[in-house]
Amino acid sequence: MVRSLVDLLSQHAAHQPDRTAYRYLATGDHDGEIQEISYGRLVERSRAVAAWLQERGLAGTRAMLLYPPGLDFICGYLGCLSAGVVAVPGVPPQGRAQNHRALTRMKRLIADADAKVILGGREVITALSGLAEHLPELADITCVATEDIPDEMAGSWREPELDADSVAFLQYTSGSTSAPRGVMVTHGNLLDNERVITERMGHTPDVIAERGHEMFVSWLPVYHDMGLIGPVLNTVYLGVTATLFSPLHFLQRPERWLNAISHYRPHTSGGPNFAYELCLKHATPALLDGLDLSSWKVAFNGAEPVRAATLRRFTDTFAPAGFRRESLYPCYGLAEATLMVTGSTVHTPPTLLQAPENRPARRPVRRRGRQLRPTGARGHGRHRRPRTARGAARGADRRDLGAQR
């Protein structure tokens, strides 16, 4: 019986050790430097990190993850899960010594998460040593660059005792409606949400085989739930291949996203509404002539308001490059639900509803038992699933990981 993503990772490494799990476009371009990691190598690195944590008696504690974009974060994250350590993804502090807001957020994260160790890249760990004046809290926390953990450590890895209610990681909310809160996501939460993503986005065995296991392209930040639980962890769940690159490289040249989709031909890729708007601003005739977006079957759009005008313009602009309206996939999620709450139906165009002008919309719309409001209306939603994540990790909940839901 599969109890966690750790079990699935081990299965994939045993059955397809040479298959590429992730490729990382170091420059953001598919014709630039490319770093790849196979499932065999991924399980070796994650177990080496896990063994290092286990040898120091850190199982059951919390580890903050501070990595720049790249493959090391994934090894560190899966290393925590493989050790029974609760992962706490965060934003690395490089270049932020004078950024008061970033330092304040990191102070709060350190205090709230109660982390005993910080895992990161060499540059990040070096940068932390220069922040002692601004972050005295670091004095009581062990910091390690996971690149320096030798592969040989994997041989001393011990399989952790995990079940559905074991906490896998703390996912901090966006802070869009209140101060960011750490939500305790269990291994059961993760498996359930990965199942929902797989079913709702049509990631069937037949589709995976047709694509040669090329399923994702993503530039989304991995410390955010959409980027982590979507493209990164659904890849491990399915045993497929994902192409990743830095959010900064996307922002510098949004066409990199479309070029990567055209080159690697994934089934699924997406981002917030603003990402589609940035692509529209850079949609030159020369770009359109060089693109083939016909493979893009799920273009998910979430994490901020989905604009009907953006959906229409994106379809009209990129139709000459093979993009289909049926690929548009508006969705809604939140950290408290692990990630996905609801989404469109794959291969079906999104339904757009117009709110009456100059007055509040009053006509509710029901779809599959859920009551939705027309476009332009505001209101509250209620969501319940068997694996909705636990409450925020503050106060007594922070000290008691076994607190009942």
Side-chain angles (χ1 to χ4, degrees):
M1 183 181 76
V2 173
R3 301 164 301 164
S4 69
L5 290 178
V6 177
D7 293 339
L8 289 173
L9 175 60
S10 297
Q11 290 179 16
H12 299 323
H15 297 146
Q16 50 182 24
D18 297 327
R19 184 180 302 284
T20 298
Y22 302 97
R23 70 171 61 87
Y24 181 72
L25 310 183
T27 65
D29 300 307
H30 64 80
D31 55 356
E33 179 188 350
I34 297 175
Q35 302 164 0
E36 294 187 345
I37 189 167
S38 67
Y39 275 97
R41 178 64 175 159
L42 183 61
V43 80
E44 179 182 47
R45 285 308 301 158
S46 63
R47 287 180 179 179
V49 173
W52 187 93
L53 294 167
Q54 289 174 333
E55 282 196 359
R56 284 152 184 80
L58 293 170
T61 66
R62 299 178 180 184
M64 190 176 301
L65 308 183
L66 299 177
Y67 290 90
L71 302 178
D72 288 332
F73 168 87
I74 300 173
C75 297
Y77 178 89
L78 293 175
C80 287
L81 269 58
S82 299
V85 170
V86 179
V88 186
V91 183
Q94 286 179 294
R96 294 171 177 264
Q98 304 305 318
N99 188 327
H100 178 73
R101 181 180 178 184
L103 287 172
T104 299
R105 179 181 174 87
M106 191 167 178
K107 279 178 175 285
R108 290 175 178 170
L109 182 62
I110 291 173
D112 187 81
D114 192 26
K116 302 303 181 186
V117 62
I118 292 178
L119 307 182
R122 290 193 189 100
E123 292 184 3
V124 172
I125 299 303
T126 299
L128 286 177
S129 64
L131 292 176
E133 177 183 352
H134 304 281
L135 293 170
E137 297 88 346
L138 294 174
D140 298 324
I141 301 177
T142 301
C143 299
V144 62
T146 49
E147 303 106 299
D148 296 332
I149 297 174
D151 294 344
E152 292 74 20
M153 289 288 296
S156 59
W157 173 71
R158 304 182 307 278
E159 186 173 356
E161 296 182 3
L162 301 175
D163 58 33
D165 291 325
S166 300
V167 177
F169 78 110
L170 294 188
Q171 176 64 63
Y172 276 80
T173 61
S174 63
S176 57
T177 58
S178 63
R181 296 176 298 125
V183 177
M184 295 185 288
V185 179
T186 68
H187 288 276
N189 294 148
L190 277 179
L191 289 178
D192 179 70
N193 217 259
E194 297 304 337
R195 176 189 60 79
V196 171
I197 292 171
T198 298
E199 292 176 356
R200 297 297 295 164
M201 294 190 175
H203 299 162
T204 66
D206 288 344
V207 166
I208 292 171
E210 290 170 5
R211 298 306 177 107
H213 287 69
E214 293 283 348
M215 290 298 290
F216 297 100
V217 164
S218 178
W219 53 268
L220 296 168
V222 293
Y223 55 80
H224 186 272
D225 53 1
M226 177 183 275
L228 175 59
I229 299 172
V232 171
L233 296 187
N234 201 238
T235 293
V236 173
Y237 183 79
L238 296 170
V240 297
T241 300
T243 299
L244 311 173
F245 65 102
S246 166
L248 179 59
H249 287 148
F250 165 71
L251 293 173
Q252 290 172 339
R253 288 180 49 198
E255 63 270 24
R256 284 171 165 150
W257 181 27
L258 303 177
N259 284 328
I261 292 172
S262 180
H263 182 78
Y264 291 108
R265 303 183 63 76
H267 179 274
T268 299
S269 190
N273 196 84
F274 83 83
Y276 294 89
E277 284 290 343
L278 283 179
C279 289
L280 286 167
K281 290 180 181 179
H282 291 77
T284 63
L287 175 64
L288 290 169
D289 287 343
L291 291 177
D292 179 3
L293 304 179
S294 59
S295 71
W296 195 2
K297 300 305 181 185
V298 174
F300 60 86
N301 185 331
E304 67 179 23
V306 178
R307 306 293 181 186
T310 303
L311 302 182
R312 295 190 186 100
R313 290 170 54 231
F314 193 88
T315 300
D316 293 344
T317 299
F318 291 99
F323 186 82
R324 300 167 66 248
R325 182 168 176 259
E326 291 79 7
S327 298
L328 293 169
Y329 193 94
C331 53
Y332 173 75
L334 68 164
E336 292 86 344
T338 307
L339 176 61
M340 192 170 186
V341 173
T342 188
S344 186
T345 300
V346 71
H347 307 312
T348 303
T351 301
L352 305 179
L353 302 176
Q354 183 63 46
E357 296 183 3
N358 302 321
R359 62 188 178 87
R362 298 182 182 279
R363 180 172 58 89
V365 178
R366 289 189 180 274
R367 179 179 296 171
R368 298 196 178 195
R370 294 188 178 93
Q371 190 175 83
L372 308 177
R373 291 179 181 264
T375 301
R378 294 184 177 183
H380 298 281
R382 181 177 296 172
H383 161 70
R384 175 177 293 178
R385 261 210 316 269
R387 292 293 181 193
T388 298
R390 295 180 182 181
R394 289 181 183 270
D397 284 344
R398 184 174 67 213
R399 292 186 294 272
D400 181 12
L401 291 179
Q404 296 296 312
R405 283 190 292 269

